[in-house]
Amino acid sequence: MVPRVLELRQSVLTKNDALARALRTRFHECGLLTLNWVSSPGTGKTALLVHLLAALRTAGHNPIALVGDLETDNDAVRLARSGAPVRQIQTHGICHLEAQMVEDHLKGWNLSDFDFLFIENVGNLVCPSSYDLGEDVRMVLLSATEGEDKPLKYPKLFHSADAAIITKMDLAEPCEFNRDLAAANIHSVCPGVPIFETSAKREEGIELLCEWIVARRSALYTEA
Amino acid sequence: MVPRVLELRQSVLTKNDALARALRTRFHECGLLTLNWVSSPGTGKTALLVHLLAALRTAGHNPIALVGDLETDNDAVRLARSGAPVRQIQTHGICHLEAQMVEDHLKGWNLSDFDFLFIENVGNLVCPSSYDLGEDVRMVLLSATEGEDKPLKYPKLFHSADAAIITKMDLAEPCEFNRDLAAANIHSVCPGVPIFETSAKREEGIELLCEWIVARRSALYTEA
């Protein structure tokens, strides 16, 4: 890229960061824990999130979700089956979510009524890593069908994660997924990050994930 | 994005297009058919390409390959097992290949010695669609594990494809992959595009793909 483009890109990122900081302050004033979910297209973010939203609601919580896609509102329709309030962000060609898109889609929600805000990013292992959305927790998802080497090939995204989720563990055997190698690769770019193994199909690993997320929110507001 | 960024992005794309046109002319002077392979991360481009390169060599052809990744040369090492000359392009943070990167990595190859140039793009369903690499054929790959809705969610990339390849068909059953729905979705954004079903693991669908690619080259040089 030419230097002028890099310079302007830097200015876009600086503006995004400032807005993200303002959003984070607002979210904390309302008692929210905000989670940014990033992965490849097809990793199964939506399928897992449907179960997680439902599990949180069963446990007495009030989660909401924003979901980003280039086109279609398929995923919002799927997520809404959990019973949680959900909004679709259509980016129309932009390959990642930005803080401004998040802010634009919060209008009309009284954020103090909720305790968790999930932001399901556009499926992309590169660009979302540069855009802070005001989240407290960034979770990167990797499916058992994608190959264990993804953390090494996309280190920036994995490095910025607060937790990693392996999805589609029901397919681990037919895919000959090597869980130890995947964990070693994740930890080589992000030492010590917690790893959750899940299967939306078999509804496995949801409870543990739910507990961890609830504990993160408690820790945030106990510290504050 | 602010207008100035859009304007500069346009200028980057215009420069890329000019270089891509020059590359295409050069490739045609050398008798090459050039193929740009695009997909999500983890779709299995490399696994399939290893078999395809080997099959082309067995049939008496001389393919070469460039493979793009943000980091690592894992995929070049894997592709080289086919016996074909292969070079890795490390983009160091750029989420797609550009024509300049292709040109930079051709040095030292006498292109007239070869008949097929495969360019395996960075795993990303968005940005590669904007960058012409001088290819004759753009092939989009979708795995049976990713979900049938990807063509609807990433229409620009699927719309620009000359052929679609479904990978990991050996996992179609455990994934409950609906091949008719996938085909209908692909054809809704790219009417009439040929679809190849493949499994690198079972070495299925390679021969048909090989035949189609060889016929594309024959057609190109018969027309010319």
Side-chain angles (χ1 to χ4, degrees):
Chain A
M1 282 196 278
V2 298
R4 264 201 311 167
V5 173
L6 282 179
E7 199 181 291
L8 280 173
R9 185 176 135 81
Q10 198 50 51
S11 134
V12 169
L13 288 176
T14 304
K15 276 183 199 160
N16 183 82
D17 284 351
L19 180 54
R21 278 194 301 275
L23 281 175
R24 188 174 288 110
T25 302
R26 183 174 158 202
F27 295 154
H28 289 174
E29 284 164 1
C30 298
L32 282 171
L33 182 85
T34 302
L35 306 99
N36 181 3
W37 278 26
V38 290
S39 81
S40 288
T43 297
K45 293 185 290 303
T46 309
L48 186 65
L49 194 47
V50 169
H51 289 293
L52 190 60
L53 291 170
L56 283 166
R57 284 168 55 82
T58 303
H61 296 284
N62 287 309
I64 47 177
L66 295 174
V67 52
D69 276 299
L70 275 79
E71 305 294 342
T72 83
D73 65 352
N74 293 357
D75 285 356
V77 171
R78 290 168 65 199
L79 287 176
R81 287 183 203 141
S82 67
V86 174
R87 286 187 185 157
Q88 180 78 45
I89 304 176
Q90 287 191 33
T91 67
H92 300 300
I94 310 284
C95 65
H96 56 268
L97 292 181
E98 301 182 4
Q100 186 63 59
M101 301 177 193
V102 171
E103 188 182 46
D104 291 344
H105 286 79
L106 296 172
K107 282 167 192 149
W109 270 342
N110 183 5
L111 294 182
S112 303
D113 292 344
F114 307 106
D115 44 13
F116 294 94
L117 167 60
F118 287 86
I119 306 172
E120 186 186 322
N121 220 309
V122 177
N124 181 336
L125 280 182
V126 185
C127 308
S129 67
S130 302
Y131 290 85
D132 184 0
L133 303 179
E135 73 265 20
D136 300 299
V137 177
R138 188 175 287 188
M139 304 187 95
V140 63
L141 290 85
L142 170 72
S143 79
T145 67
E146 278 172 58
E148 301 84 356
D149 62 348
K150 292 297 159 294
L152 306 181
K153 288 173 142 188
Y154 300 87
K156 193 175 167 198
L157 196 64
F158 280 84
H159 180 68
S160 71
D162 299 295
I165 301 176
I166 317 277
T167 60
K168 306 191 190 181
M169 280 301 290
D170 51 287
L171 294 170
E173 206 179 298
C175 292
E176 298 171 23
F177 176 69
N178 184 333
R179 68 204 296 181
D180 294 333
L181 179 58
N185 287 343
I186 291 169
H187 285 147
S188 77
V189 294
C190 196
V193 74
I195 300 175
F196 296 91
E197 294 185 347
T198 64
S199 163
K201 195 171 171 186
R202 295 188 183 155
E203 298 188 35
E204 286 170 359
I206 316 286
E207 204 177 331
L208 216 60
L209 192 56
C210 205
E211 281 171 17
W212 186 83
I213 287 169
V214 170
R216 281 295 293 231
R217 182 173 177 276
S218 301
L220 179 67
Y221 291 104
T222 308
E223 280 169 21
Chain B
M1 281 196 278
V2 297
R4 264 201 309 167
V5 173
L6 282 178
E7 199 181 294
L8 280 173
R9 186 177 134 82
Q10 199 49 52
S11 135
V12 169
L13 288 176
T14 304
K15 276 184 200 160
N16 184 80
D17 283 352
L19 180 54
R21 278 195 299 275
L23 281 176
R24 188 174 289 108
T25 303
R26 182 174 160 204
F27 294 155
H28 289 173
E29 285 165 1
C30 298
L32 283 171
L33 182 85
T34 303
L35 307 99
N36 180 3
W37 278 27
V38 289
S39 80
S40 289
T43 297
K45 292 185 292 302
T46 309
L48 186 64
L49 194 47
V50 169
H51 289 292
L52 190 60
L53 291 171
L56 283 166
R57 284 168 55 83
T58 303
H61 296 285
N62 287 310
I64 47 176
L66 295 174
V67 51
D69 276 299
L70 276 80
E71 304 294 340
T72 83
D73 65 352
N74 294 358
D75 285 357
V77 171
R78 290 168 65 199
L79 288 176
R81 286 181 204 143
S82 67
V86 175
R87 287 188 184 156
Q88 180 79 44
I89 304 177
Q90 288 192 32
T91 67
H92 301 299
I94 310 285
C95 65
H96 55 269
L97 291 181
E98 301 183 3
Q100 187 64 60
M101 300 176 193
V102 171
E103 188 183 45
D104 291 345
H105 286 78
L106 296 172
K107 283 168 191 145
W109 270 343
N110 182 6
L111 294 182
S112 303
D113 292 345
F114 307 107
D115 44 12
F116 295 95
L117 167 60
F118 289 87
I119 306 173
E120 185 186 324
N121 219 309
V122 177
N124 182 337
L125 281 181
V126 186
C127 307
S129 66
S130 303
Y131 291 84
D132 184 0
L133 304 179
E135 72 265 20
D136 301 299
V137 177
R138 189 176 287 189
M139 304 188 95
V140 62
L141 290 86
L142 171 72
S143 78
T145 66
E146 278 172 58
E148 302 84 358
D149 63 346
K150 291 299 160 290
L152 306 180
K153 288 173 143 188
Y154 299 87
K156 194 175 168 198
L157 196 63
F158 280 83
H159 181 68
S160 71
D162 300 294
I165 302 176
I166 318 276
T167 59
K168 306 192 191 180
M169 280 301 290
D170 51 287
L171 294 170
E173 206 180 297
C175 291
E176 297 170 24
F177 176 69
N178 184 333
R179 68 204 295 182
D180 294 332
L181 179 58
N185 288 343
I186 291 170
H187 284 147
S188 77
V189 295
C190 196
V193 75
I195 300 175
F196 296 90
E197 294 185 349
T198 64
S199 163
K201 195 170 169 186
R202 294 186 185 157
E203 299 187 35
E204 285 171 1
I206 316 287
E207 204 176 332
L208 216 59
L209 192 55
C210 205
E211 281 171 18
W212 186 84
I213 287 169
V214 170
R216 282 294 294 230
R217 182 173 177 276
S218 300
L220 180 66
Y221 291 103
T222 308
E223 280 168 22

